[in-house]
């Protein structure tokens, strides 16, 4: 693990959260992101960006994360949608 | 395409420009050209949907302008919760339609080099403006190719007069506002209305009963886990995200979050995230736990003796005071009793306990300029090592071990969103009470 790799991991986590691929921590439960959850988030990001879905921070993924972009998230309100879906399922 | 779920419930919209790109940063973009580029960007949308955009001017002071879509060029933190990041990275953002005061507002990062048909060293204002106005009208990011609503900057669009939206974008805007069947107005209006300025933002005042505990420092352990910094104190912890914000002002209970620690746990000695498998290691007194995410793995706690750390006086280590992975070399460092040990966990094999590298322990004083008995250490930022002690932290720049000057900074202020203490006169050095303490003229 080089300094650059370690820093990339941290930055990638921040990037995935910022653009909606990783849900923000719930202030009440404050769930920690799982390793599998992070891999899945990377896959979705890769699919959205037209990259091969590897689930790992490969060079293409890191390159895309460093690209100039709009600061709005790509995935909006995924957690809200999930909660609504769970609520509907419980009611049924 | 993707829609935000929000739209304007009118088709005649006004826009205004609150500030223009700094001439020093974007010298080839006079204000009038910016107006024309923005007007053309709106026209890209009104060409295909029954929308009419009217430019409303600022007053003579250049500040009082209103309108549905307020455009400005801002730097870094600009009071909307979405700071810019200097040149590169994020370029702009816009707020979706709605009744909120900021709805439709569009902000461009003033530290970019904005251009009109410039080369790749600059950023084409028209392309970004069409994208952002798409948000201001209710569109979300699209993964479709081609689409102006892709989140990444795709370069200039060529001839802006004849620019046409991609099919994906046309369908999106027409889904919201219908199909235009008449020619759009050119957006000009000889009677430019003057609208009042919005009131200045008011900061929210929050009460926080755990304020003192958080702001007085003295953390038992500090760890960089999954890109966030965790501050452990007693039976509680706080979390700071990479953008500097706290997950919550209130602390979380260790017991309710980290499952598998003893019920009476009220002090964590050290924590770090192992990079080889993303497991999280907790040290409490003479034992350690390995966590997969937030649950302790079976078989733990294990005795600290697994780590094979012996003091120079031949005694086994019975407590770890600090632990971190130095981003500079990827090695793991454990600290105890003024000494430290180094481990290479990339060589770790399943079921085999790792041993310290030869030549260790070494004396903590090798880390010059930082306290020799620290509370904890993390790697952060650009691979720098952050040493925490009481309510201060010291930064050793990437790979540096022996910097000339390492100035302590406030943990509470810089990491835990605490207010800066009132300025006090420089304390007199107790060793030389009559001596001047001024560094500028000695």
């Amino acid at each position: 693990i080089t300094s650059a790799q370690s820093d990339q991991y941290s930055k990638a986590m921040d990037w995935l959260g910022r653009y909606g691929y990783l849900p923000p921590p719930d202030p009440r439960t404050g769930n920690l992101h799982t390793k599998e959850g992070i891999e899945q988030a990377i896959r979705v990001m890769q699919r959205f960006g037209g990259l091969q879905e590897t689930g790992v921070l490969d060079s293409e993924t890191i390159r895309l994360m460093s690209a100039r972009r709009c600061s709005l998230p790509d995935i909006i309100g995924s957690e809200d949608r999930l909660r609504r879906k769970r609520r509907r399922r419980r009611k049924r | 395409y993707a829609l935000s779920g929000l739209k304007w419930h009118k088709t005649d919209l006004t826009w205004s420009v609150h500030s223009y790109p700094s001439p020093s940063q974007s010298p080839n973009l006079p204000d009038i050209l910016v107006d024309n580029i923005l007007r053309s960007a709106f026209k890209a949308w009104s060409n295909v949907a029954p929308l009419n955009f009217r430019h409303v001017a600022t007053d003579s002071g250049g500040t009082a302008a209103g309108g549905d879509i307020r455009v400005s060029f801002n730097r870094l933190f600009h009071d909307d919760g979405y700071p810019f990041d200097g040149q590169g990275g994020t370029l702009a953002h816009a707020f979706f339609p709605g009744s909120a005061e900021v709805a439709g507002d569009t902000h461009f990062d003033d530290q970019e080099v904005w251009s009109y048909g410039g080369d790749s060293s600059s950023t084409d204002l028209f392309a970004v403006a069409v994208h952002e106005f798409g948000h201001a009208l209710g569109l979300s990011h699209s993964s479709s190719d081609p689409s102006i609503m892709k989140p990444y900057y795709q370069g200039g669009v060529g001839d802006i007069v004849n620019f046409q939206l991609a099919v994906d974008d046309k369908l999106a805007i027409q889904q919201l506002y219908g199909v235009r069947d008449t020619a759009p107005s050119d957006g000009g209006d000889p009677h430019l209305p003057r609208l009042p300025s919005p009131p200045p933002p008011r900061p929210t005042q929050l009460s926080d009963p755990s304020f003192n505990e958080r702001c007085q420092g003295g953390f038992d352990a500090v760890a960089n886990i999954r890109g966030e910094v965790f501050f452990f104190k007693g039976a509680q912890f706080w979390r700071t995200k990479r953008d500097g914000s706290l997950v919550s002002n209130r602390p979380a209970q260790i017991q309710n979050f980290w499952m598998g620690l003893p019920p009476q746990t009220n002090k964590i000695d050290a924590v770090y995230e192992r990079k080889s498998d993303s497991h999280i290691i907790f040290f409490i007194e003479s034992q350690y736990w390995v966590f997969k995410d937030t649950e302790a793995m079976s078989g733990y706690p294990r005795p600290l003796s697994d780590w094979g750390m012996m003091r120079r006086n031949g005694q086994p280590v019975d407590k770890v005071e600090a632990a971190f992975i130095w981003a500079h070399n990827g090695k793991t460092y454990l600290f105890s009793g003024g000494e430290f040990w180094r481990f290479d966990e990339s060589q770790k094999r399943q079921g085999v306990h790792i041993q310290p590298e030869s030549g260790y322990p070494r004396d903590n004083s090798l880390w010059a300029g930082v306290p020799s008995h620290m509370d904890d250490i993390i790697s952060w930022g650009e691979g720098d090592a952050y040493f925490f002690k009481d309510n201060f932290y010291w930064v050793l720049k990437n790979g540096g071990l022996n910097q000339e000057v390492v100035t302590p900074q406030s943990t509470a202020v810089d990491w835990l969103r605490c207010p800066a203490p009132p300025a006090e006169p420089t304390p007199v050095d107790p060793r030389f009470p009559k001596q001047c303490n001024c560094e500028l003229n000695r």
Side-chain angles (χ1 to χ4, degrees), chain B residues 285-364:
Chain B
E285 295 177 351
S286 60
Q287 295 179 310
Y288 72 102
W289 284 254
V290 176
F291 277 69
K292 182 181 186 298
D293 303 323
T294 56
E295 285 185 30
M297 298 177 74
S298 64
Y300 292 94
R302 297 266 319 158
L304 211 50
S305 55
D306 284 356
W307 293 76
M309 291 183 288
M310 300 295 286
R311 297 193 189 285
R312 275 174 293 190
N313 64 10
Q315 293 295 311
V317 168
D318 59 355
K319 183 184 181 185
V320 171
E321 289 161 2
F324 86 119
I325 293 181
W326 201 11
H328 160 64
N329 57 12
K331 302 277 177 81
T332 305
Y333 290 77
L334 302 189
F335 295 75
S336 180
E339 297 171 322
F340 68 97
W341 290 257
R342 191 172 83 174
F343 300 81
D344 184 356
E345 293 190 280
S346 63
Q347 307 297 320
K348 188 180 183 318
R349 283 169 306 171
Q350 193 79 29
V352 179
H353 295 306
I354 193 161
Q355 294 296 308
E357 291 190 355
S358 63
Y360 290 87
R362 293 188 185 174
D363 200 276
N364 282 5

Side-chain angles (χ1 to χ4, degrees), chain B residues 122-184:
Chain B
S122 61
T123 305
D124 185 71
L125 178 61
F126 177 77
V128 177
V130 175
H131 175 102
E132 297 306 333
F133 294 155
H135 289 313
L137 295 171
L139 273 60
S140 280
H141 281 153
S142 169
S143 59
S144 175
D145 194 12
S147 164
I148 199 72
M149 295 313 293
K150 286 180 77 172
Y152 305 100
Y153 177 64
Q154 303 165 68
V157 297
D159 178 12
I160 71 171
V161 177
N162 295 315
F163 171 78
Q164 292 208 341
L165 292 169
V167 173
D168 189 72
D169 303 319
K170 274 186 201 169
L171 292 174
I173 197 73
Q174 289 171 349
Q175 173 79 25
L176 289 177
Y177 300 100
V179 181
R180 171 171 286 283
D181 52 8
T182 56

Side-chain angles (χ1 to χ4, degrees), chain A residues 9 12-14 16-18 20-26 29-41 79, chain B residues 225-228 230 239 241 247 257-258 273 278-280 291-295:
Chain A
Y9 175 74
M13 292 290 301
D14 176 53
L16 291 167
R18 186 179 300 238
Y21 294 100
L22 275 176
D26 185 326
T29 61
N31 291 334
L32 189 72
H33 298 306
T34 62
K35 192 178 174 218
E36 290 77 12
I38 294 167
E39 282 172 8
Q40 179 59 19
E79 277 294 278
Chain B
I225 301 172
R226 309 282 202 266
E228 297 175 14
F230 285 62
R239 286 163 75 174
K241 292 188 277 183
V247 170
F257 190 86
W258 301 100
E273 181 182 354
S278 293
H279 288 168
I280 301 150
F291 277 69
K292 182 181 186 298
D293 303 323
T294 56
E295 285 185 30

Side-chain angles (χ1 to χ4, degrees), chain B residues 178-202:
Chain B
V179 181
R180 171 171 286 283
D181 52 8
T182 56
S185 74
D186 64 3
D189 186 339
H191 309 292
L192 301 176
R194 298 179 195 285
L195 300 173
S197 285
R202 287 169 300 176

